[in-house]
Amino acid sequence: QVQLVESGGGLVQAGGSLRLSCVASGSLNSINRKGWYRQAPGKQRELVAYITGGGTIVYADSVKGRFTIARDNAKNMVTLQMNSLEPEDTAVYYCYAQRTPLLGVRYDYWGQGTQVTVSS
Protein backbone atom coordinates (compact mmCIF):
# COMPACT_ATOMS: atom_id res chain seq x y z
CA GLN A 1 0.00 0.00 0.00
CA VAL A 2 0.98 3.59 -0.64
CA GLN A 3 -0.38 6.54 1.28
CA LEU A 4 -0.41 10.00 -0.29
CA VAL A 5 -1.01 13.16 1.70
CA GLU A 6 -1.51 16.47 -0.08
CA SER A 7 -1.20 19.98 1.25
CA GLY A 8 -1.13 23.51 -0.08
CA GLY A 9 -4.55 24.12 -1.56
CA GLY A 10 -6.55 27.24 -0.87
CA LEU A 11 -8.22 30.33 -2.25
CA VAL A 12 -6.33 32.68 -4.54
CA GLN A 13 -7.19 35.48 -6.94
CA ALA A 14 -6.78 35.07 -10.66
CA GLY A 15 -3.18 35.60 -11.65
CA GLY A 16 -1.91 34.36 -8.31
CA SER A 17 0.13 31.31 -7.38
CA LEU A 18 -0.16 28.24 -5.19
CA ARG A 19 2.16 25.36 -4.50
CA LEU A 20 0.81 21.88 -3.82
CA SER A 21 2.85 19.21 -2.07
CA CYS A 22 2.33 15.48 -1.78
CA VAL A 23 4.26 13.17 0.50
CA ALA A 24 4.21 9.44 -0.12
CA SER A 25 4.69 6.71 2.45
CA GLY A 26 4.34 2.94 2.59
CA SER A 27 5.49 0.52 -0.12
CA LEU A 28 7.38 2.94 -2.28
CA ASN A 29 9.35 0.42 -4.28
CA SER A 30 8.43 0.14 -7.95
CA ILE A 31 6.66 3.50 -8.07
CA ASN A 32 7.27 4.63 -11.63
CA ARG A 33 4.98 7.60 -11.92
CA LYS A 34 3.80 10.40 -9.65
CA GLY A 35 1.64 13.28 -10.52
CA TRP A 36 -1.48 15.35 -10.15
CA TYR A 37 -5.01 15.09 -11.41
CA ARG A 38 -7.90 17.47 -10.84
CA GLN A 39 -11.65 17.31 -10.85
CA ALA A 40 -13.89 20.33 -11.23
CA PRO A 41 -17.58 20.22 -10.25
CA GLY A 42 -19.61 18.33 -12.84
CA LYS A 43 -16.53 17.28 -14.79
CA GLN A 44 -14.43 14.16 -15.08
CA ARG A 45 -11.11 13.85 -13.33
CA GLU A 46 -8.34 14.94 -15.67
CA LEU A 47 -4.59 14.76 -15.78
CA VAL A 48 -2.68 17.88 -14.79
CA ALA A 49 0.90 16.63 -14.88
CA TYR A 50 3.04 13.65 -14.04
CA ILE A 51 6.70 12.74 -13.77
CA THR A 52 8.09 9.28 -14.36
CA GLY A 53 10.87 7.48 -12.54
CA GLY A 54 13.14 8.26 -15.46
CA GLY A 55 12.36 11.96 -15.23
CA THR A 56 9.97 12.30 -18.15
CA ILE A 57 7.41 15.03 -17.50
CA VAL A 58 4.02 15.38 -19.13
CA TYR A 59 1.66 18.34 -18.77
CA ALA A 60 -1.91 18.86 -19.83
CA ASP A 61 -2.06 21.44 -22.61
CA SER A 62 -4.19 23.69 -20.42
CA VAL A 63 -1.43 24.14 -17.84
CA LYS A 64 1.72 24.16 -19.98
CA GLY A 65 3.86 27.18 -19.26
CA ARG A 66 2.00 27.94 -16.02
CA PHE A 67 2.43 24.86 -13.83
CA THR A 68 5.65 23.08 -12.89
CA ILE A 69 5.88 19.60 -11.42
CA ALA A 70 8.94 18.54 -9.46
CA ARG A 71 10.00 15.74 -7.19
CA ASP A 72 12.25 15.36 -4.18
CA ASN A 73 13.18 11.70 -3.93
CA ALA A 74 14.88 12.14 -0.57
CA LYS A 75 11.59 13.36 0.91
CA ASN A 76 9.34 11.10 -1.19
CA MET A 77 7.62 14.28 -2.27
CA VAL A 78 6.14 15.60 -5.47
CA THR A 79 5.15 19.25 -5.83
CA LEU A 80 3.09 21.28 -8.24
CA GLN A 81 3.91 24.96 -8.56
CA MET A 82 0.92 26.73 -10.08
CA ASN A 83 1.39 30.23 -11.46
CA SER A 84 -0.89 32.57 -13.39
CA LEU A 85 -3.90 30.76 -11.99
CA GLU A 86 -7.21 31.14 -13.76
CA PRO A 87 -10.77 30.58 -12.52
CA GLU A 88 -10.85 27.54 -14.82
CA ASP A 89 -8.18 25.95 -12.62
CA THR A 90 -10.66 25.71 -9.75
CA ALA A 91 -10.94 22.05 -8.79
CA VAL A 92 -10.05 19.43 -6.25
CA TYR A 93 -6.48 18.40 -6.94
CA TYR A 94 -5.46 14.81 -6.30
CA CYS A 95 -1.99 13.44 -5.89
CA TYR A 96 -1.44 10.22 -7.81
CA ALA A 97 1.12 7.44 -7.80
CA GLN A 98 1.43 4.42 -10.01
CA ARG A 99 3.23 1.30 -8.91
CA THR A 100 4.22 -1.59 -11.17
CA PRO A 101 5.88 -4.26 -9.02
CA LEU A 102 5.59 -6.94 -11.71
CA LEU A 103 5.24 -7.00 -15.47
CA GLY A 104 1.57 -6.54 -16.25
CA VAL A 105 0.66 -5.65 -12.67
CA ARG A 106 -0.25 -2.05 -11.91
CA TYR A 107 -1.58 -0.32 -8.82
CA ASP A 108 -2.92 3.23 -8.75
CA TYR A 109 -2.99 5.26 -5.55
CA TRP A 110 -4.74 8.53 -4.80
CA GLY A 111 -4.53 11.16 -2.13
CA GLN A 112 -7.58 12.56 -0.40
CA GLY A 113 -7.61 15.70 -2.53
CA THR A 114 -7.04 19.36 -1.81
CA GLN A 115 -9.31 22.16 -2.92
CA VAL A 116 -7.96 24.92 -5.13
CA THR A 117 -10.29 27.86 -5.73
CA VAL A 118 -9.37 30.73 -8.05
CA SER A 119 -11.56 33.81 -7.86
CA SER A 120 -11.99 36.20 -10.76
Side-chain angles (χ1 to χ4, degrees), residues 15-39:
S17 298
L18 283 174
R19 182 174 181 267
L20 305 183
S21 298
C22 174
V23 177
S25 61
S27 300
L28 303 182
N29 58 298
S30 303
I31 288 181
N32 62 5
R33 185 178 294 187
K34 293 180 181 178
W36 297 90
Y37 280 70
R38 67 186 181 186
Q39 188 167 18

Side-chain angles (χ1 to χ4, degrees), residues 8-103:
L11 173 65
V12 65
Q13 288 189 332
S17 298
L18 283 174
R19 182 174 181 267
L20 305 183
S21 298
C22 174
V23 177
S25 61
S27 300
L28 303 182
N29 58 298
S30 303
I31 288 181
N32 62 5
R33 185 178 294 187
K34 293 180 181 178
W36 297 90
Y37 280 70
R38 67 186 181 186
Q39 188 167 18
K43 295 187 177 181
Q44 289 189 333
R45 192 172 296 188
E46 63 177 7
L47 172 71
V48 177
Y50 69 77
I51 181 168
T52 70
T56 299
I57 292 175
V58 172
Y59 293 103
D61 287 343
S62 59
V63 306
K64 283 181 181 176
R66 300 188 299 122
F67 291 11
T68 303
I69 189 170
R71 66 183 179 189
D72 184 334
N73 290 333
K75 297 180 180 180
N76 295 320
M77 179 183 292
V78 62
T79 60
L80 185 69
Q81 178 65 43
M82 305 185 293
N83 299 328
S84 301
L85 282 161
E86 304 167 352
E88 293 73 24
D89 295 316
T90 295
V92 177
Y93 284 69
Y94 295 92
C95 182
Y96 164 76
Q98 180 183 104
R99 196 168 153 257
T100 54
L102 297 170
L103 184 64

